[in-house]
Amino acid sequence: MPTTTSSSSSAAASSSSSGNRQADVFSRLASSDPEVKLKALREVKNQIIGNRTKKLSFLKLGAVPAIASALSDADDSDKCNNILVQSAAALGSFACGFEAGVQAVLDAGVFPHLLRLLTNPDEKVVDAGARSLRMIFQSNLAPKYDFLQEKNMEFLFSLLNSENENVSGLGASIIAHACGTSVEQRLLCDAGVLEKLVILLDGSLSQREACLESLATVLKNNPDAVSHFVGLEGGRYLSSVTELTKDRYTRTRLLSCLCLVVIYNTSPSYFLNMGTKSSLITTLLELLNDPGQSGDDAALGLSSLIAEKEDLQKLADEANAIKNIVDILKTGSELQPKRLQGLFLSLAELCSKLEDCRCSFLSLQVLDLLINALRHSDANVRTAACICFKNAARSIKNLSAGHFTNDNVMLPLVQLLHDPASSVQVAVLGALSNIVLDFSAPKSTFIEYGGIKQLIELSKSMDPNARCSALRALRNLMFLADNKRKEIFFSDVKAQGFACLISDPEPPVQEQALALLRNLVDGCISSIEFVFDEDCLILNTVGRQLRKAPQAQMAIQGMYVLTNVASGNELHKEAVMQQLFPQGEAESENFMLKFLQSHESQLRSATVWTIINLISPSSPGALDRHVKLRNAAIISQLKNMVNDACLDVKIRIRTVLGQSMSFGDS
Amino acid sequence: MPVRVEESNAPAQVSGTDPGNRSPLPPSSLLGAGQAFSGTQNVSNQQKEEAWRVNVQIQGIDLEHGYLCGTMEALNVPMADTPVITFWEGEIVDGKNYTFYTGKWEATREDDMRHWSKFPSFSPLQGQVESDGGRQLDLNNYPYIFMRWKEQYFVNVGTDCGLTIAGFYYVCFSCSDGSISGFYYDPNSSPFQKLELKTVNEGRSGFSFSSYELQ
């Protein structure tokens, strides 16, 4: 192993003398005298180890190509071995945790030369080459390694089989870096990589850590591989990984936790023991306090572990996760974006399902923290903060108490609708969708900030997801809205615009547009008039869409639009009849018959409600409408459904048949 | 509600409405979010006959967790200048999340049975409930839904308004016509204050339905 033999540079050295020394080093690096060159290499290496500023300074001066030349010019003879070792070590140091350094090393074309070192007969050279390559493979910038090529797979296994811990560790690092697809996972497993990797679990610290990382990569979302891994030697290695979560080294604890998170997320059945789950959560929570990279990674690991899992969220809550995370966020120290992202995502997950968690989260006076995060320069942090807002705002109790309705919250959220990052835009639409559902306030803040206009703009986006999310937010905004708010919206979107939304090529967008319309025509009876604007343009569009045999979810919303319109006066009811029985169209089976036979109970229910409203006994034209429905075989269809599997549908059908009898139908 | 009592009960562990997914069909479409009800609560005591007009609106329902919530507006409250609105959370007796036995809010099993048995629709279930709390009953297909509604906070007035929300309601909802009956229970208030509500339609000749979807 190369050792630091020359003294490191003094921090107090003047910049001019330092500049002179650097220039001198460059000339010596190019020297034809191997001893001079070797000394220069050592000097550079020792100066840059662990010193990011020095790395950058040498990088700018072109040190990497100079060292690369030293490496490539040296042959494999014994006398050059020291140069090989020192140049490889220096290059590895440039690449260690420093992306610009990795890029420079790769640009200098040293990759094949470093690989060549692995076959050098001198163990020290092999070791230096392997260490340097591991540094490179820890970066995303490292070249993709094609496992599909047989010779590459053979080479990988030759690395894993090596007695040299850095070489076998390199093999594991290559897997962790380059295995990204299920095909690659399968190929590696078929070739027996798991059996090789588990051996490293018993190896040195660096082997163990590389092994844990690569195990997580191979096992991720791969139930077959997890099953195979768990079955190896009767579960011994799963126990080993679990045991390593108590290791004295922080990084080892973190990596073993992340490996268990992957195994749990892939095959939860291997984690039936609540104690294991609980201790995994506790360890991750402890790791959050690590100030370094492990703490950053632990935050994302925790959010991944508890995502969508109510039982684990309960355990995390019992372990006081919310308070722990909020305390870290409140320390005031500058946290890495990755850690902030992980912490906010973890909070978001904790608030995703459990009302108690939402309440305890909001009771910790966290809104200011969240608002600051909305303005963070890193898009991932802004996105995570929006998701956190969104999930906290799933609490009807807190929405109803008006906890989200103030300028400090609303303004930054509305501003983020313009965010250049699409992930932020999608996330903020989700947050606003929930927050506008504020039952307590007139929602004027959102409207004052131009929120409606912006949502209408986004409902015309090229991205169908953005259109869908914007319409969902508008739908929620119009839930139980007063006429004034409805007017503001409608005067902007206009009948033509609304008809376009309902005719969107994407069914989920149509569904949201119809759900929005359903809310628009609910409430005060005068709201129904919106659908008659521009010569019934909107109502005609709804009828046309329903006659096109739409998907069930869209049909449900469409039928509720008709239900709500049919709950109005005679004119409204007749207008609905026009859509159900359009004049001049060829006689075909009425679409309501299909809806009544749908497997979706909600669609059957919505259809029956339309009929109930059309033949409401208090309305003068009910009898005529009943005759039309009977002639279209709809009443007889309902008679066949008196024992519908859905209680609600069954009850409504009996209501219709009761009304039907009052019209003389038997 | 005439007695001021310190509220000390922690809210039950409940979840909000089911997010992300399409909201499941409520047990009755008349018990969906946005549905409104109107009626009275009889607050008579030995001194005088009195009934307050009451409006209720459902704001959220989550069948998976047996949860629903909404607001209750009392209109002609003598002590208040304005209508008093409270936010309440409800437990749906589904045999899975909640049984007929309250187990909190100072309600004994005897209190429970005394109140539930005031609903005529409860009598076919009484025997089973007395034997096992009703856990074996298939309440999904019963045309009445039994609930407990617990007011959590005042929405538009301070806690110093002279009213108390210490008690809770035993509630029975009829799936057929959407009518709601209830009895307010608070050991410190007049017993069996009856709540009677009917679904309202805002001057429409029929039924109308809104919906929202949480993300």
Side-chain angles (χ1 to χ4, degrees):
Chain A
M1 179 174 160
T3 51
T4 52
T5 50
S6 57
S7 62
S8 61
S9 67
S10 158
S14 72
S15 61
S16 62
S17 70
S18 162
N20 290 340
R21 276 181 65 189
Q22 285 180 348
D24 174 49
V25 163
F26 274 87
S27 67
R28 284 186 284 124
L29 277 174
S31 169
S32 55
D33 181 342
E35 285 305 315
V36 174
K37 186 181 281 200
L38 183 62
K39 203 172 169 196
L41 281 168
R42 279 195 177 124
E43 201 172 316
V44 173
K45 184 199 72 181
N46 290 339
Q47 285 200 48
I48 64 170
I49 281 178
N51 188 331
R52 199 180 167 83
T53 315
K54 278 281 164 82
K55 281 183 195 177
L56 192 62
S57 161
F58 272 105
L59 199 71
K60 283 180 180 165
L61 289 167
V64 172
I67 298 168
S69 294
L71 175 72
S72 57
D73 292 346
D75 56 35
D76 289 348
S77 63
D78 287 350
K79 62 181 179 179
C80 286
N81 281 358
N82 281 338
I83 290 181
L84 290 173
V85 167
Q86 291 303 323
S87 54
L91 291 168
S93 191
F94 270 110
C96 181
F98 184 51
E99 291 298 88
V102 177
Q103 192 61 58
V105 168
L106 292 171
D107 289 347
V110 294
F111 198 74
H113 297 296
L114 288 172
L115 282 177
R116 195 191 69 206
L117 301 190
L118 300 178
T119 52
N120 192 292
D122 185 334
E123 193 65 18
K124 277 185 188 166
V125 175
V126 173
D127 211 54
R131 278 171 174 274
S132 191
L133 284 164
R134 280 188 70 183
M135 299 302 171
I136 295 171
F137 274 107
Q138 277 168 9
S139 160
N140 288 331
L141 297 171
K144 187 86 181 91
Y145 192 88
D146 187 0
F147 299 110
L148 298 172
Q149 288 188 31
E150 203 178 325
K151 65 178 174 44
N152 281 356
M153 192 64 98
E154 280 170 17
F155 178 67
L156 178 71
F157 273 80
S158 73
L159 298 179
L160 291 171
N161 287 330
S162 171
E163 295 288 318
N164 180 311
E165 68 170 81
N166 278 310
V167 175
S168 54
L170 170 64
S173 295
I174 291 175
I175 295 169
H177 165 75
C179 175
T181 67
S182 56
V183 173
E184 288 167 336
Q185 285 177 326
R186 200 174 57 241
L187 211 65
L188 285 166
C189 289
D190 290 348
V193 81
L194 287 174
E195 287 81 352
K196 293 290 169 196
L197 284 174
V198 291
I199 296 167
L200 303 183
L201 276 178
D202 298 327
S204 69
L205 174 65
S206 72
Q207 281 177 316
R208 262 200 329 256
E209 293 187 349
C211 162
L212 287 166
E213 270 191 283
S214 48
L215 271 178
T217 311
V218 177
L219 301 178
K220 189 172 185 179
N221 300 327
N222 185 350
D224 291 342
V226 168
S227 159
H228 184 59
F229 170 74
V230 172
L232 287 173
E233 292 191 30
R236 174 165 103 77
Y237 295 107
L238 177 62
S239 304
S240 296
V241 175
T242 309
E243 205 50 40
L244 286 173
T245 61
K246 299 169 201 149
D247 196 87
R248 66 195 170 105
Y249 292 103
T250 306
R251 190 78 194 153
T252 305
R253 288 204 302 280
L254 182 269
L255 293 174
S256 52
C257 281
L258 296 184
C259 193
L260 289 180
V261 170
V262 160
I263 294 171
Y264 186 89
N265 285 347
T266 306
S267 304
S269 57
Y270 294 115
F271 279 79
L272 293 176
N273 185 340
M274 287 301 269
T276 313
K277 296 179 197 178
S278 196
S279 103
L280 182 55
I281 287 169
T282 312
T283 310
L284 280 168
L285 285 174
E286 282 164 7
L287 285 164
L288 290 181
N289 293 309
D290 179 84
Q293 198 197 335
S294 293
D296 299 345
D297 293 339
L300 280 170
L302 178 65
S303 70
S304 166
L305 175 65
I306 61 176
E308 300 291 317
K309 301 175 200 86
E310 194 172 318
D311 59 338
L312 294 194
Q313 288 163 12
K314 271 187 189 149
L315 285 176
D317 185 36
E318 283 160 18
N320 219 6
I322 294 179
K323 173 119 186 5
N324 282 353
I325 295 172
V326 170
D327 283 349
I328 294 170
L329 287 168
K330 281 184 173 173
T331 49
S333 58
E334 187 133 335
L335 301 174
Q336 286 296 312
K338 191 177 180 185
R339 180 181 301 232
L340 282 172
Q341 180 196 8
L343 294 176
F344 281 120
L345 285 179
S346 297
L347 287 171
E349 290 302 339
L350 284 161
C351 293
S352 66
K353 290 176 186 287
L354 298 171
E355 181 71 2
D356 271 4
C357 286
R358 294 177 197 133
C359 291
S360 38
F361 173 58
L362 291 169
S363 72
L364 292 170
Q365 312 292 318
V366 285
L367 282 185
D368 285 347
L369 284 171
L370 270 176
I371 291 163
N372 286 341
L374 292 176
R375 297 192 170 107
H376 198 278
S377 59
D378 190 298
N380 289 327
V381 177
R382 297 198 298 279
T383 303
C386 286
I387 296 172
C388 200
F389 255 116
K390 180 194 75 179
N391 291 357
R394 283 175 179 175
S395 164
I396 302 293
K397 184 177 178 181
N398 281 293
L399 282 173
S400 215
H403 286 158
F404 299 98
T405 324
N406 67 58
D407 290 10
N408 292 340
V409 174
M410 206 54 97
L411 183 60
L413 285 172
V414 174
Q415 283 170 339
L416 285 183
L417 287 172
H418 294 296
D419 199 282
S422 63
S423 67
V424 177
Q425 215 173 61
V426 169
V428 79
L429 272 170
L432 281 170
S433 277
N434 293 355
I435 290 173
V436 296
L437 195 65
D438 187 330
F439 299 92
S440 69
K443 311 175 192 191
S444 58
T445 328
F446 179 74
I447 297 165
E448 274 166 27
Y449 289 138
I452 290 186
K453 271 189 188 303
Q454 288 185 47
L455 289 179
I456 291 174
E457 223 24 67
L458 282 166
S459 73
K460 299 170 196 162
S461 159
M462 295 293 287
D463 174 7
N465 289 328
R467 293 203 297 279
C468 204
S469 298
L471 286 171
R472 191 183 290 109
L474 284 166
R475 164 194 183 174
N476 289 356
L477 188 68
M478 292 302 143
F479 178 74
L480 307 181
D482 59 17
N483 259 13
K484 190 177 158 204
R485 197 184 322 146
K486 289 178 182 174
E487 290 285 355
I488 292 171
F489 164 68
F490 196 77
S491 64
D492 208 326
V493 74
K494 299 190 174 62
Q496 189 71 49
F498 215 128
C500 286
L501 295 173
I502 297 167
S503 311
D504 192 280
E506 297 295 328
V509 181
Q510 294 171 16
E511 179 195 339
Q512 292 302 330
L514 287 166
L516 163 61
L517 179 60
R518 162 185 174 182
N519 287 356
L520 200 69
V521 296
D522 182 41
C524 173
I525 192 165
S526 63
S527 307
I528 296 176
E529 296 300 325
F530 289 122
V531 295
F532 296 103
D533 203 32
E534 290 191 36
D535 214 11
C536 280
L537 179 61
I538 295 177
L539 191 58
N540 287 338
T541 310
V542 173
R544 203 163 43 245
Q545 292 294 71
L546 287 171
R547 289 192 290 276
K548 278 189 200 166
Q551 290 182 5
Q553 293 304 324
M554 192 204 133
I556 290 166
Q557 299 304 334
M559 286 314 292
Y560 271 119
V561 171
L562 295 188
T563 297
N564 290 1
V565 174
S567 69
N569 60 32
E570 276 301 295
L571 283 173
H572 301 145
K573 291 179 198 292
E574 281 305 315
V576 170
M577 289 298 283
Q578 289 287 322
Q579 300 307 324
L580 301 178
F581 305 101
Q583 285 178 344
E585 283 201 9
E587 285 279 323
S588 61
E589 191 186 56
N590 192 284
F591 63 84
M592 284 207 295
L593 281 174
K594 289 191 198 114
F595 292 172
L596 288 171
Q597 292 164 51
S598 163
H599 293 298
E600 279 285 344
S601 57
Q602 283 211 57
L603 181 52
R604 301 199 300 279
S605 174
T607 308
V608 179
W609 274 115
T610 306
I611 298 166
I612 288 175
N613 284 347
L614 288 172
I615 61 171
S616 167
S618 60
S619 53
L623 179 60
D624 289 345
R625 288 190 287 275
H626 179 262
V627 170
K628 272 192 187 168
L629 289 165
R630 192 180 57 200
N631 292 345
I634 287 165
I635 302 296
S636 57
Q637 170 62 31
L638 290 174
K639 285 179 182 165
N640 293 332
M641 296 166 63
V642 283
N643 289 317
D644 193 282
C646 170
L647 176 66
D648 192 43
V649 175
K650 187 161 83 175
I651 289 171
R652 303 307 149 213
I653 286 173
R654 289 176 184 203
T655 306
V656 174
L657 296 180
Q659 286 171 218
S660 198
M661 280 174 75
S662 71
F663 296 130
D665 208 29
S666 56
Chain B
M1 294 185 215
V3 180
R4 188 192 297 274
V5 181
E6 195 68 28
E7 192 183 15
S8 59
N9 292 307
Q13 167 66 56
V14 289
S15 290
T17 51
D18 188 21
N21 305 313
R22 296 172 197 288
S23 42
L25 189 68
S28 164
S29 31
L30 293 175
L31 198 62
Q35 289 303 300
F37 303 85
S38 188
T40 56
Q41 180 174 341
N42 188 322
V43 290
S44 304
N45 54 34
Q46 286 167 342
Q47 281 78 43
K48 66 171 181 179
E49 288 288 310
E50 195 177 351
W52 295 350
R53 280 195 295 136
V54 174
N55 293 327
V56 162
Q57 185 165 62
I58 310 292
Q59 293 188 336
I61 181 159
D62 173 5
L63 285 187
E64 195 188 328
H65 294 92
Y67 174 84
L68 84 167
C69 61
T71 51
M72 187 179 280
E73 180 184 28
L75 287 160
N76 50 332
V77 181
M79 286 167 269
D81 302 332
T82 58
V84 177
I85 304 173
T86 52
F87 177 84
W88 55 266
E89 291 184 304
E91 300 175 346
I92 299 172
V93 176
D94 53 9
K96 185 184 81 165
N97 293 287
Y98 301 103
T99 70
F100 283 96
Y101 293 135
T102 308
K104 56 191 167 187
W105 302 331
E106 298 182 59
T108 62
R109 290 191 168 198
E110 292 68 35
D111 294 323
D112 292 330
M113 293 311 291
R114 229 182 359 257
H115 284 82
W116 292 126
S117 57
K118 286 211 163 270
F119 300 114
S121 50
F122 180 72
S123 58
L125 314 176
Q126 187 154 358
Q128 191 70 48
V129 173
E130 280 171 344
S131 70
D132 69 349
R135 285 207 173 266
Q136 302 299 316
L137 290 167
D138 176 17
L139 293 166
N140 287 327
N141 283 309
Y142 198 62
Y144 295 88
I145 296 167
F146 298 94
M147 296 171 272
R148 281 178 288 269
W149 292 0
K150 173 87 181 86
E151 288 163 295
Q152 299 292 346
Y153 57 82
F154 290 102
V155 173
N156 66 334
V157 294
T159 45
D160 55 353
C161 62
L163 298 166
T164 174
I165 51 173
F168 70 97
Y169 292 85
Y170 291 91
V171 177
C172 174
F173 170 85
S174 160
C175 297
S176 311
D177 60 6
S179 63
I180 292 173
S181 321
F183 291 98
Y184 185 67
Y185 172 71
D186 174 1
N188 299 306
S189 296
S190 311
F192 303 114
Q193 295 180 25
K194 189 170 188 189
L195 179 73
E196 288 180 293
L197 302 167
K198 288 194 183 321
T199 180
V200 291
N201 289 322
E202 297 219 35
R204 290 176 180 241
S205 162
F207 295 84
S208 179
F209 303 89
S210 269
S211 75
Y212 65 80
E213 192 175 299
L214 283 173
Q215 282 295 285

